[in-house]
Amino acid sequence: MRAKTLVHHEGPLAKSVSELIKNLTPKRQEVIRPVLEHPREYVLLTIRELAAKANSDAATILRIVRNMGFASYREFQRYLHDLSIVLATPLEIMQASLAKPGTTSAQIKGSLACDVKNLKALSNTLDTFRIKGVAEQLYRARQIVLLGGDMAIALVLFLEYKLTILGLPPLIAVTPGRVAHLIRCTNKKDVVIAISFRRGLRQTVEGLTRAKARGAYCIGISDTYISPIARLADVCLLCSIESPSFGGSYVAPMALLNALLVGCANYRRSRTLALLKEAEAEQRSGYRWYLGDASTRKNV
C-alpha cells in the first residue's frame, strides 16, 4: 500500500488565474484581469489605489477578491506577490536589482545575503516528516523518473547521481522527447519527481501531467504554491530561488536535495552502510582518483 498522500497547500493561493476568475461575471473579469496579468504593477498598492488604477472602486474590488475565494485583500496581495515572482523574466529581475543604488561589490554582497535568506526560509519551513514520507515513496518505487530542463538539469543530474549511490533506480528526462518516452512507460508503481520554478517549464509540467494521469506518485519541487508543479503534485517541496541575479539562485534547491538525500540515506541506514562499505575500496584507491606523488614515483 502507498503511504498516505502528503497534502500540499489548498485554497485560492494554490489556484491558477483561470480558476480564480471562472466564476466572476464578464464585467468583473474585465476589471481584475489586468491586475492578474501584470501583478508587479499592482502588488504594492492599497485597495483604494488599485481600484483607482483599475477604474473601479474599493468596494467592488473587495467583492471581486472575496468572490475569487480570498478571505481578505491582504491574502489577495500575497497571491499577487507570488504571481509576480512566477511571471518575472530574467530581464525584469536584473532591471529591478540595477534600480537599487550600490556598487558592483554591493550587488555581490546582496546576492550572498539573498542566498542566506533563502536558506533560512528553507530551514524554518522544511517539514522533516514530509521528507521522510518522500524517502519512503522512493524506496517503494519500481523506478524513479526525474524531470527537469534548462537550468534545472543541474539539479536533476545531481539528484540522479546521489540516488544511484544509494542503490535506488533513477531515470532522467531533460528533453521533450525523453520526457514523452519515459512517462509513457510509467504506472502506479513509479515515482516521478518534477523540478521546475516560477511559471514552470512546459516539458516538465506536461510530463508531470501525463505521469499523474497514468497513476504515478508525483513529487514536485518548486518555489511557490501557485506553480503548476505544486498544483499537480501529490506532494510539493518548496524552496525559494529569489536572487538579484538574472538566472535565479539554486542554493536553497541544492540544500533541499541534500536534505532529501540525508532522509533517504537514513531511512534504511543499514542498507546505505552496506553499499558504502562495498564501495569503500574503490573510494580509497580506485583508478578514478589522483594519487599525487605516489602516482608519479610509480611511473618513474
Side-chain angles (χ1 to χ4, degrees), residues 61-85:
I61 294 297
L62 184 57
R63 282 194 290 270
I64 292 173
V65 165
R66 287 176 174 170
N67 287 342
M68 288 190 295
F70 297 98
S72 65
Y73 180 71
R74 184 180 294 274
E75 187 180 35
F76 177 62
Q77 279 186 307
R78 179 183 168 192
Y79 180 85
L80 289 183
H81 174 265
D82 286 354
L83 191 61
S84 67
I85 294 173

PDB file of all heavy atoms in Angstrom, residues 61-85:
ATOM      1  N   ILE A  61     -13.768  46.071  -5.808  1.00  0.00           N
ATOM      2  CA  ILE A  61     -12.553  45.262  -5.781  1.00  0.00           C
ATOM      3  C   ILE A  61     -12.607  44.245  -4.642  1.00  0.00           C
ATOM      4  O   ILE A  61     -12.254  43.071  -4.816  1.00  0.00           O
ATOM      5  CB  ILE A  61     -11.300  46.149  -5.642  1.00  0.00           C
ATOM      6  CG1 ILE A  61     -11.123  47.022  -6.886  1.00  0.00           C
ATOM      7  CG2 ILE A  61     -10.056  45.297  -5.411  1.00  0.00           C
ATOM      8  CD1 ILE A  61     -10.891  46.258  -8.168  1.00  0.00           C
ATOM      9  N   LEU A  62     -13.079  44.662  -3.478  1.00  0.00           N
ATOM     10  CA  LEU A  62     -13.161  43.743  -2.339  1.00  0.00           C
ATOM     11  C   LEU A  62     -14.142  42.609  -2.627  1.00  0.00           C
ATOM     12  O   LEU A  62     -13.866  41.452  -2.288  1.00  0.00           O
ATOM     13  CB  LEU A  62     -13.586  44.503  -1.083  1.00  0.00           C
ATOM     14  CG  LEU A  62     -13.610  43.689   0.209  1.00  0.00           C
ATOM     15  CD1 LEU A  62     -12.240  43.075   0.486  1.00  0.00           C
ATOM     16  CD2 LEU A  62     -14.050  44.557   1.384  1.00  0.00           C
ATOM     17  N   ARG A  63     -15.271  42.947  -3.271  1.00  0.00           N
ATOM     18  CA  ARG A  63     -16.238  41.883  -3.621  1.00  0.00           C
ATOM     19  C   ARG A  63     -15.617  40.904  -4.619  1.00  0.00           C
ATOM     20  O   ARG A  63     -15.816  39.681  -4.508  1.00  0.00           O
ATOM     21  CB  ARG A  63     -17.509  42.513  -4.200  1.00  0.00           C
ATOM     22  CG  ARG A  63     -18.448  43.112  -3.147  1.00  0.00           C
ATOM     23  CD  ARG A  63     -19.816  43.410  -3.726  1.00  0.00           C
ATOM     24  NE  ARG A  63     -19.756  44.526  -4.668  1.00  0.00           N
ATOM     25  CZ  ARG A  63     -19.915  45.804  -4.329  1.00  0.00           C
ATOM     26  NH1 ARG A  63     -20.147  46.125  -3.059  1.00  0.00           N
ATOM     27  NH2 ARG A  63     -19.856  46.756  -5.239  1.00  0.00           N
ATOM     28  N   ILE A  64     -14.876  41.425  -5.595  1.00  0.00           N
ATOM     29  CA  ILE A  64     -14.221  40.551  -6.575  1.00  0.00           C
ATOM     30  C   ILE A  64     -13.219  39.631  -5.887  1.00  0.00           C
ATOM     31  O   ILE A  64     -13.170  38.424  -6.144  1.00  0.00           O
ATOM     32  CB  ILE A  64     -13.517  41.403  -7.665  1.00  0.00           C
ATOM     33  CG1 ILE A  64     -14.550  42.125  -8.534  1.00  0.00           C
ATOM     34  CG2 ILE A  64     -12.623  40.523  -8.536  1.00  0.00           C
ATOM     35  CD1 ILE A  64     -13.941  43.105  -9.519  1.00  0.00           C
ATOM     36  N   VAL A  65     -12.428  40.218  -4.998  1.00  0.00           N
ATOM     37  CA  VAL A  65     -11.414  39.449  -4.280  1.00  0.00           C
ATOM     38  C   VAL A  65     -12.062  38.319  -3.478  1.00  0.00           C
ATOM     39  O   VAL A  65     -11.598  37.171  -3.482  1.00  0.00           O
ATOM     40  CB  VAL A  65     -10.607  40.391  -3.356  1.00  0.00           C
ATOM     41  CG1 VAL A  65      -9.800  39.594  -2.331  1.00  0.00           C
ATOM     42  CG2 VAL A  65      -9.685  41.274  -4.182  1.00  0.00           C
ATOM     43  N   ARG A  66     -13.160  38.628  -2.792  1.00  0.00           N
ATOM     44  CA  ARG A  66     -13.839  37.601  -1.997  1.00  0.00           C
ATOM     45  C   ARG A  66     -14.520  36.561  -2.877  1.00  0.00           C
ATOM     46  O   ARG A  66     -14.544  35.373  -2.530  1.00  0.00           O
ATOM     47  CB  ARG A  66     -14.847  38.270  -1.062  1.00  0.00           C
ATOM     48  CG  ARG A  66     -14.167  39.009   0.093  1.00  0.00           C
ATOM     49  CD  ARG A  66     -15.163  39.753   0.955  1.00  0.00           C
ATOM     50  NE  ARG A  66     -14.508  40.338   2.143  1.00  0.00           N
ATOM     51  CZ  ARG A  66     -15.085  41.193   2.955  1.00  0.00           C
ATOM     52  NH1 ARG A  66     -16.343  41.583   2.750  1.00  0.00           N
ATOM     53  NH2 ARG A  66     -14.423  41.671   3.996  1.00  0.00           N
ATOM     54  N   ASN A  67     -15.059  36.987  -4.009  1.00  0.00           N
ATOM     55  CA  ASN A  67     -15.682  36.032  -4.932  1.00  0.00           C
ATOM     56  C   ASN A  67     -14.662  35.062  -5.524  1.00  0.00           C
ATOM     57  O   ASN A  67     -15.007  33.944  -5.910  1.00  0.00           O
ATOM     58  CB  ASN A  67     -16.396  36.771  -6.065  1.00  0.00           C
ATOM     59  CG  ASN A  67     -17.684  37.432  -5.612  1.00  0.00           C
ATOM     60  OD1 ASN A  67     -18.234  37.084  -4.568  1.00  0.00           O
ATOM     61  ND2 ASN A  67     -18.171  38.399  -6.370  1.00  0.00           N
ATOM     62  N   MET A  68     -13.401  35.490  -5.580  1.00  0.00           N
ATOM     63  CA  MET A  68     -12.347  34.597  -6.070  1.00  0.00           C
ATOM     64  C   MET A  68     -11.887  33.629  -4.982  1.00  0.00           C
ATOM     65  O   MET A  68     -11.094  32.728  -5.256  1.00  0.00           O
ATOM     66  CB  MET A  68     -11.154  35.416  -6.589  1.00  0.00           C
ATOM     67  CG  MET A  68     -11.430  36.131  -7.901  1.00  0.00           C
ATOM     68  SD  MET A  68      -9.937  36.847  -8.667  1.00  0.00           S
ATOM     69  CE  MET A  68      -9.488  38.084  -7.448  1.00  0.00           C
ATOM     70  N   GLY A  69     -12.359  33.835  -3.757  1.00  0.00           N
ATOM     71  CA  GLY A  69     -12.048  32.897  -2.683  1.00  0.00           C
ATOM     72  C   GLY A  69     -11.079  33.401  -1.641  1.00  0.00           C
ATOM     73  O   GLY A  69     -10.762  32.682  -0.685  1.00  0.00           O
ATOM     74  N   PHE A  70     -10.606  34.651  -1.780  1.00  0.00           N
ATOM     75  CA  PHE A  70      -9.673  35.199  -0.801  1.00  0.00           C
ATOM     76  C   PHE A  70     -10.428  35.747   0.405  1.00  0.00           C
ATOM     77  O   PHE A  70     -11.459  36.395   0.258  1.00  0.00           O
ATOM     78  CB  PHE A  70      -8.827  36.305  -1.439  1.00  0.00           C
ATOM     79  CG  PHE A  70      -7.954  35.823  -2.560  1.00  0.00           C
ATOM     80  CD1 PHE A  70      -8.348  35.974  -3.886  1.00  0.00           C
ATOM     81  CD2 PHE A  70      -6.744  35.202  -2.295  1.00  0.00           C
ATOM     82  CE1 PHE A  70      -7.553  35.524  -4.924  1.00  0.00           C
ATOM     83  CE2 PHE A  70      -5.935  34.745  -3.326  1.00  0.00           C
ATOM     84  CZ  PHE A  70      -6.345  34.901  -4.646  1.00  0.00           C
ATOM     85  N   ALA A  71      -9.882  35.493   1.580  1.00  0.00           N
ATOM     86  CA  ALA A  71     -10.544  35.940   2.804  1.00  0.00           C
ATOM     87  C   ALA A  71     -10.400  37.435   3.015  1.00  0.00           C
ATOM     88  O   ALA A  71     -11.227  38.052   3.680  1.00  0.00           O
ATOM     89  CB  ALA A  71      -9.974  35.191   4.004  1.00  0.00           C
ATOM     90  N   SER A  72      -9.343  38.019   2.429  1.00  0.00           N
ATOM     91  CA  SER A  72      -9.083  39.436   2.632  1.00  0.00           C
ATOM     92  C   SER A  72      -8.257  39.984   1.483  1.00  0.00           C
ATOM     93  O   SER A  72      -7.689  39.217   0.685  1.00  0.00           O
ATOM     94  CB  SER A  72      -8.324  39.652   3.949  1.00  0.00           C
ATOM     95  OG  SER A  72      -7.037  39.047   3.876  1.00  0.00           O
ATOM     96  N   TYR A  73      -8.184  41.294   1.417  1.00  0.00           N
ATOM     97  CA  TYR A  73      -7.351  41.927   0.397  1.00  0.00           C
ATOM     98  C   TYR A  73      -5.878  41.610   0.640  1.00  0.00           C
ATOM     99  O   TYR A  73      -5.105  41.440  -0.310  1.00  0.00           O
ATOM    100  CB  TYR A  73      -7.568  43.439   0.389  1.00  0.00           C
ATOM    101  CG  TYR A  73      -6.735  44.152  -0.662  1.00  0.00           C
ATOM    102  CD1 TYR A  73      -7.037  44.026  -2.013  1.00  0.00           C
ATOM    103  CD2 TYR A  73      -5.646  44.943  -0.288  1.00  0.00           C
ATOM    104  CE1 TYR A  73      -6.267  44.659  -2.982  1.00  0.00           C
ATOM    105  CE2 TYR A  73      -4.879  45.589  -1.252  1.00  0.00           C
ATOM    106  CZ  TYR A  73      -5.195  45.441  -2.593  1.00  0.00           C
ATOM    107  OH  TYR A  73      -4.434  46.074  -3.547  1.00  0.00           O
ATOM    108  N   ARG A  74      -5.479  41.489   1.903  1.00  0.00           N
ATOM    109  CA  ARG A  74      -4.090  41.143   2.229  1.00  0.00           C
ATOM    110  C   ARG A  74      -3.723  39.772   1.658  1.00  0.00           C
ATOM    111  O   ARG A  74      -2.619  39.580   1.131  1.00  0.00           O
ATOM    112  CB  ARG A  74      -3.884  41.164   3.739  1.00  0.00           C
ATOM    113  CG  ARG A  74      -2.438  40.911   4.158  1.00  0.00           C
ATOM    114  CD  ARG A  74      -2.295  40.955   5.672  1.00  0.00           C
ATOM    115  NE  ARG A  74      -2.560  42.277   6.175  1.00  0.00           N
ATOM    116  CZ  ARG A  74      -1.643  43.239   6.252  1.00  0.00           C
ATOM    117  NH1 ARG A  74      -0.414  43.005   5.835  1.00  0.00           N
ATOM    118  NH2 ARG A  74      -1.958  44.415   6.750  1.00  0.00           N
ATOM    119  N   GLU A  75      -4.639  38.816   1.775  1.00  0.00           N
ATOM    120  CA  GLU A  75      -4.375  37.492   1.216  1.00  0.00           C
ATOM    121  C   GLU A  75      -4.263  37.569  -0.310  1.00  0.00           C
ATOM    122  O   GLU A  75      -3.429  36.898  -0.914  1.00  0.00           O
ATOM    123  CB  GLU A  75      -5.494  36.519   1.612  1.00  0.00           C
ATOM    124  CG  GLU A  75      -5.188  35.077   1.206  1.00  0.00           C
ATOM    125  CD  GLU A  75      -6.290  34.105   1.595  1.00  0.00           C
ATOM    126  OE1 GLU A  75      -7.473  34.500   1.554  1.00  0.00           O
ATOM    127  OE2 GLU A  75      -5.958  32.959   1.926  1.00  0.00           O
ATOM    128  N   PHE A  76      -5.086  38.415  -0.925  1.00  0.00           N
ATOM    129  CA  PHE A  76      -5.006  38.612  -2.365  1.00  0.00           C
ATOM    130  C   PHE A  76      -3.661  39.225  -2.747  1.00  0.00           C
ATOM    131  O   PHE A  76      -3.064  38.851  -3.769  1.00  0.00           O
ATOM    132  CB  PHE A  76      -6.152  39.521  -2.831  1.00  0.00           C
ATOM    133  CG  PHE A  76      -6.118  39.844  -4.302  1.00  0.00           C
ATOM    134  CD1 PHE A  76      -6.236  38.853  -5.258  1.00  0.00           C
ATOM    135  CD2 PHE A  76      -5.966  41.161  -4.732  1.00  0.00           C
ATOM    136  CE1 PHE A  76      -6.209  39.156  -6.620  1.00  0.00           C
ATOM    137  CE2 PHE A  76      -5.944  41.476  -6.084  1.00  0.00           C
ATOM    138  CZ  PHE A  76      -6.058  40.467  -7.018  1.00  0.00           C
ATOM    139  N   GLN A  77      -3.160  40.164  -1.946  1.00  0.00           N
ATOM    140  CA  GLN A  77      -1.843  40.751  -2.201  1.00  0.00           C
ATOM    141  C   GLN A  77      -0.746  39.696  -2.139  1.00  0.00           C
ATOM    142  O   GLN A  77       0.215  39.740  -2.918  1.00  0.00           O
ATOM    143  CB  GLN A  77      -1.557  41.855  -1.184  1.00  0.00           C
ATOM    144  CG  GLN A  77      -2.209  43.192  -1.511  1.00  0.00           C
ATOM    145  CD  GLN A  77      -1.770  44.275  -0.536  1.00  0.00           C
ATOM    146  OE1 GLN A  77      -1.876  44.112   0.678  1.00  0.00           O
ATOM    147  NE2 GLN A  77      -1.266  45.373  -1.074  1.00  0.00           N
ATOM    148  N   ARG A  78      -0.890  38.764  -1.219  1.00  0.00           N
ATOM    149  CA  ARG A  78       0.089  37.683  -1.132  1.00  0.00           C
ATOM    150  C   ARG A  78       0.087  36.863  -2.426  1.00  0.00           C
ATOM    151  O   ARG A  78       1.144  36.472  -2.932  1.00  0.00           O
ATOM    152  CB  ARG A  78      -0.226  36.785   0.069  1.00  0.00           C
ATOM    153  CG  ARG A  78       0.731  35.618   0.239  1.00  0.00           C
ATOM    154  CD  ARG A  78       0.309  34.733   1.400  1.00  0.00           C
ATOM    155  NE  ARG A  78       1.033  33.477   1.388  1.00  0.00           N
ATOM    156  CZ  ARG A  78       0.722  32.417   2.134  1.00  0.00           C
ATOM    157  NH1 ARG A  78      -0.302  32.498   2.969  1.00  0.00           N
ATOM    158  NH2 ARG A  78       1.414  31.306   2.056  1.00  0.00           N
ATOM    159  N   TYR A  79      -1.107  36.614  -2.951  1.00  0.00           N
ATOM    160  CA  TYR A  79      -1.204  35.896  -4.220  1.00  0.00           C
ATOM    161  C   TYR A  79      -0.533  36.690  -5.334  1.00  0.00           C
ATOM    162  O   TYR A  79       0.202  36.131  -6.157  1.00  0.00           O
ATOM    163  CB  TYR A  79      -2.675  35.631  -4.564  1.00  0.00           C
ATOM    164  CG  TYR A  79      -2.863  34.889  -5.878  1.00  0.00           C
ATOM    165  CD1 TYR A  79      -2.793  33.499  -5.917  1.00  0.00           C
ATOM    166  CD2 TYR A  79      -3.111  35.576  -7.062  1.00  0.00           C
ATOM    167  CE1 TYR A  79      -2.957  32.816  -7.112  1.00  0.00           C
ATOM    168  CE2 TYR A  79      -3.277  34.893  -8.259  1.00  0.00           C
ATOM    169  CZ  TYR A  79      -3.197  33.521  -8.274  1.00  0.00           C
ATOM    170  OH  TYR A  79      -3.354  32.835  -9.462  1.00  0.00           O
ATOM    171  N   LEU A  80      -0.770  38.001  -5.369  1.00  0.00           N
ATOM    172  CA  LEU A  80      -0.148  38.850  -6.389  1.00  0.00           C
ATOM    173  C   LEU A  80       1.373  38.817  -6.272  1.00  0.00           C
ATOM    174  O   LEU A  80       2.087  38.816  -7.282  1.00  0.00           O
ATOM    175  CB  LEU A  80      -0.644  40.292  -6.270  1.00  0.00           C
ATOM    176  CG  LEU A  80      -2.089  40.575  -6.687  1.00  0.00           C
ATOM    177  CD1 LEU A  80      -2.377  42.074  -6.569  1.00  0.00           C
ATOM    178  CD2 LEU A  80      -2.359  40.103  -8.109  1.00  0.00           C
ATOM    179  N   HIS A  81       1.859  38.792  -5.028  1.00  0.00           N
ATOM    180  CA  HIS A  81       3.305  38.716  -4.814  1.00  0.00           C
ATOM    181  C   HIS A  81       3.874  37.435  -5.414  1.00  0.00           C
ATOM    182  O   HIS A  81       4.871  37.449  -6.148  1.00  0.00           O
ATOM    183  CB  HIS A  81       3.613  38.791  -3.316  1.00  0.00           C
ATOM    184  CG  HIS A  81       5.066  38.580  -2.996  1.00  0.00           C
ATOM    185  ND1 HIS A  81       5.569  37.356  -2.642  1.00  0.00           N
ATOM    186  CD2 HIS A  81       6.125  39.439  -3.020  1.00  0.00           C
ATOM    187  CE1 HIS A  81       6.873  37.457  -2.443  1.00  0.00           C
ATOM    188  NE2 HIS A  81       7.230  38.710  -2.658  1.00  0.00           N
ATOM    189  N   ASP A  82       3.240  36.304  -5.104  1.00  0.00           N
ATOM    190  CA  ASP A  82       3.698  35.023  -5.655  1.00  0.00           C
ATOM    191  C   ASP A  82       3.576  35.004  -7.172  1.00  0.00           C
ATOM    192  O   ASP A  82       4.453  34.490  -7.872  1.00  0.00           O
ATOM    193  CB  ASP A  82       2.889  33.868  -5.058  1.00  0.00           C
ATOM    194  CG  ASP A  82       3.278  33.581  -3.613  1.00  0.00           C
ATOM    195  OD1 ASP A  82       4.243  34.189  -3.132  1.00  0.00           O
ATOM    196  OD2 ASP A  82       2.606  32.754  -2.971  1.00  0.00           O
ATOM    197  N   LEU A  83       2.490  35.573  -7.674  1.00  0.00           N
ATOM    198  CA  LEU A  83       2.269  35.598  -9.121  1.00  0.00           C
ATOM    199  C   LEU A  83       3.323  36.461  -9.809  1.00  0.00           C
ATOM    200  O   LEU A  83       3.791  36.110 -10.906  1.00  0.00           O
ATOM    201  CB  LEU A  83       0.864  36.129  -9.423  1.00  0.00           C
ATOM    202  CG  LEU A  83       0.360  35.975 -10.864  1.00  0.00           C
ATOM    203  CD1 LEU A  83       0.292  34.505 -11.265  1.00  0.00           C
ATOM    204  CD2 LEU A  83      -1.020  36.618 -11.003  1.00  0.00           C
ATOM    205  N   SER A  84       3.702  37.565  -9.188  1.00  0.00           N
ATOM    206  CA  SER A  84       4.727  38.428  -9.781  1.00  0.00           C
ATOM    207  C   SER A  84       6.068  37.711  -9.856  1.00  0.00           C
ATOM    208  O   SER A  84       6.846  37.916 -10.798  1.00  0.00           O
ATOM    209  CB  SER A  84       4.864  39.725  -8.969  1.00  0.00           C
ATOM    210  OG  SER A  84       5.394  39.471  -7.684  1.00  0.00           O
ATOM    211  N   ILE A  85       6.349  36.839  -8.886  1.00  0.00           N
ATOM    212  CA  ILE A  85       7.572  36.044  -8.910  1.00  0.00           C
ATOM    213  C   ILE A  85       7.513  35.006 -10.027  1.00  0.00           C
ATOM    214  O   ILE A  85       8.471  34.811 -10.778  1.00  0.00           O
ATOM    215  CB  ILE A  85       7.800  35.359  -7.550  1.00  0.00           C
ATOM    216  CG1 ILE A  85       8.077  36.413  -6.472  1.00  0.00           C
ATOM    217  CG2 ILE A  85       8.939  34.348  -7.619  1.00  0.00           C
ATOM    218  CD1 ILE A  85       8.158  35.854  -5.076  1.00  0.00           C
TER     219      ILE A  85
END
